[in-house]
């Protein structure tokens, strides 16, 4: 039988020295940000049957639980330092724990983000991570900085996670090869940390957030916080490789309102286009210009010919569901 403390020791304590002054094992961890830097802090929870299906692959869950948190640091342009892990487990399953911690640490190590503490309890499977990052004072990319005339940019591609969900839920037929291609995006999102940091270090963007609940709804947060509007070309939204195989209506719908994309949406002065393209290229992340910020409030969705397109413009809201 695996005790709570054996479980933590075997699967979450690591031998290697970390950057934290004090890591797992005491009542608190002690963390020293670099001199003069601000801490950026964010928490995200993954709940079984809400954010993932029962029986989901443990390694993917480990990756995704941290990835969705790192994505928030990326959106602010922060550099990851450390994270805590609060875990409710129905039972101490060694195979599950080995897979989960492998997925978790593989991503953590790639970004130099150290596990410094947490909490472990028995209960319905629930994974809650808090990440700590650092960013130079006054430089974090906030939602409130968009200015009329700014370009609106999106990193990577959108909609493949939503297409995976459609396939798993049998909303319409999705062939196996397409589903395999799409599901990578659902299960193994890549936080766009290098891009976020490059936007900050080059002073390239005015506002940013990460797209987790659907592009249209999330862009709405920038518009509200910045007291501006936007005109977005739905057909410029970068559909994921699997979604590209679907019809135009599905492409538009899933790019605009898919959810689980974990890409960055940011706004920037048009004079920065070349510098942004160069920074994105250096990070190995594609970026696409999808519209402009306008002074008039509201979101205007158009097609490639600038004709108005109607879409049920709701993003994902956990409490709006029946
Ligand atoms: P406390 O009694 O103060 O709540 P715990 O006994 O829960 O502390 O945890 C002991 C130590 O193990 C603490 O340093 C805590 O941060 C760490 N810890 C507990 N669960 C986890 C976990 N899932 N991952 C990493 N560290 C953990
Ligand atoms: Mg505790």
């Amino acid at each position: 039988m695996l005790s709570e403390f054996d479980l933590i020791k075997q699967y979450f304590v690591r031998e290697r020295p970390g950057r934290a002054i004090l890591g797992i094992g005491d009542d608190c961890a002690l963390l020293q940000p670099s001199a003069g830097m601000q801490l950026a802090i964010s928490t995200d929870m993954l709940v079984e049957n809400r954010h993932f299906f029962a029986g989901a692959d443990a390694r993917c869950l480990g990756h995704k639980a941290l990835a969705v948190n790192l994505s928030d640091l990326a959106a602010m342009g922060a550099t990851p330092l450390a994270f805590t892990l609060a875990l409710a487990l129905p039972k101490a399953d060694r195979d599950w724990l080995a897979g989960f911690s492998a997925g978790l640490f593989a991503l953590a190590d790639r970004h130099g983000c150290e596990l410094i503490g947490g909490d472990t309890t028995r209960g319905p499977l629930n994974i809650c991570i808090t990440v700590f990052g650092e960013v130079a004072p006054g430089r974090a990319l906030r939602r409130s900085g968009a200015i009329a005339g700014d370009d609106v940019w999106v990193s990577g591609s959108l909609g493949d996670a939503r297409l995976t969900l459609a396939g798993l839920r049998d909303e319409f037929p999705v062939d196996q090869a397409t589903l395999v291609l799409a599901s990578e995006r659902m299960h193994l999102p890549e936080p766009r940390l290098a891009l976020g940091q490059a936007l900050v270090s080059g002073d390239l963007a005015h506002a940013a957030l990460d797209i987790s609940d659907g592009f249209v709804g999330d862009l709405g947060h920038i518009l509200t916080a910045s007291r501006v509007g936007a005109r977005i070309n739905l057909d410029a939204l970068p559909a994921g490789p699997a979604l590209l195989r679907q019809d135009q209506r599905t492409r538009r719908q899933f790019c605009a309102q898919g959810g689980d994309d974990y890409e960055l949406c940011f706004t920037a002065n048009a004079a920065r286009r070349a510098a942004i393209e160069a920074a994105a290229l250096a990070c190995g992340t594609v970026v696409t210009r999808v519209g402009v910020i306008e002074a008039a409030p509201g979101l205007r969705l158009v097609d490639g010919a600038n004709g108005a397109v109607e879409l049920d413009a709701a993003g994902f809201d956990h409490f709006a569901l029946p």
Side-chain angles (χ1 to χ4, degrees), residues 115-189:
L115 179 60
I116 56 168
D119 199 20
T120 307
T121 180
R122 190 184 288 269
L125 184 55
N126 190 326
I127 307 156
C128 181
I129 286 180
T130 299
V131 279
F132 302 84
E134 65 182 18
V135 62
R139 302 297 295 276
L141 299 171
R142 298 164 65 159
R143 298 175 175 192
S144 54
I147 298 170
D150 276 1
D151 292 323
V152 179
W153 295 80
V154 171
S155 70
S157 68
L158 303 173
D160 272 1
R162 179 63 183 84
L163 181 61
T164 309
L165 194 59
L168 294 175
R169 281 181 182 162
D170 261 331
E171 288 174 18
F172 53 82
V174 181
D175 67 79
Q176 195 55 31
T178 303
L179 194 55
V180 169
L181 181 63
S183 57
E184 168 116 357
R185 287 303 306 272
M186 164 97 123
H187 299 309
L188 296 169

Side-chain angles (χ1 to χ4, degrees), residues 278-318:
L281 193 64
C283 307
T285 304
V286 175
V287 289
T288 307
R289 241 177 334 111
V290 300
V292 288
I293 297 293
E294 296 177 335
L299 180 56
R300 290 159 285 281
L301 300 174
V302 297
D303 58 21
N306 206 22
V309 181
E310 285 299 321
L311 208 63
D312 169 21
F316 187 79
D317 177 339
H318 288 279

Side-chain angles (χ1 to χ4, degrees), residues 259-298:
D260 249 6
D261 293 306
Y262 303 103
E263 294 293 355
L264 300 188
C265 171
F266 57 97
T267 84
N269 193 297
R272 297 299 206 172
R273 283 179 194 170
I276 288 167
E277 298 275 7
L281 193 64
C283 307
T285 304
V286 175
V287 289
T288 307
R289 241 177 334 111
V290 300
V292 288
I293 297 293
E294 296 177 335

Side-chain angles (χ1 to χ4, degrees), residues 49-130:
N49 295 322
R50 170 54 72 179
H51 300 98
F52 59 90
F53 293 111
D57 179 75
R59 182 182 279 265
C60 290
L61 279 179
H63 173 100
K64 187 164 179 176
L66 182 59
V68 302
N69 278 279
L70 291 176
S71 180
D72 287 316
L73 291 184
M76 301 293 280
T79 301
L81 298 173
F83 68 106
T84 60
L85 168 67
L87 200 54
L89 296 171
K91 58 183 191 311
D93 176 333
R94 286 180 190 274
D95 287 343
W96 191 93
L97 282 159
F100 178 83
S101 63
L104 181 80
F105 285 126
L107 181 64
D109 291 349
R110 271 203 280 132
H111 296 288
C113 194
E114 183 188 353
L115 179 60
I116 56 168
D119 199 20
T120 307
T121 180
R122 190 184 288 269
L125 184 55
N126 190 326
I127 307 156
C128 181
I129 286 180
T130 299

Side-chain angles (χ1 to χ4, degrees), residues 4-5 8 12 23-27 85-87 115-120:
E4 179 185 332
F5 298 104
I8 295 166
F12 298 114
I24 294 171
D26 213 313
D27 293 309
L85 168 67
L87 200 54
L115 179 60
I116 56 168
D119 199 20
T120 307

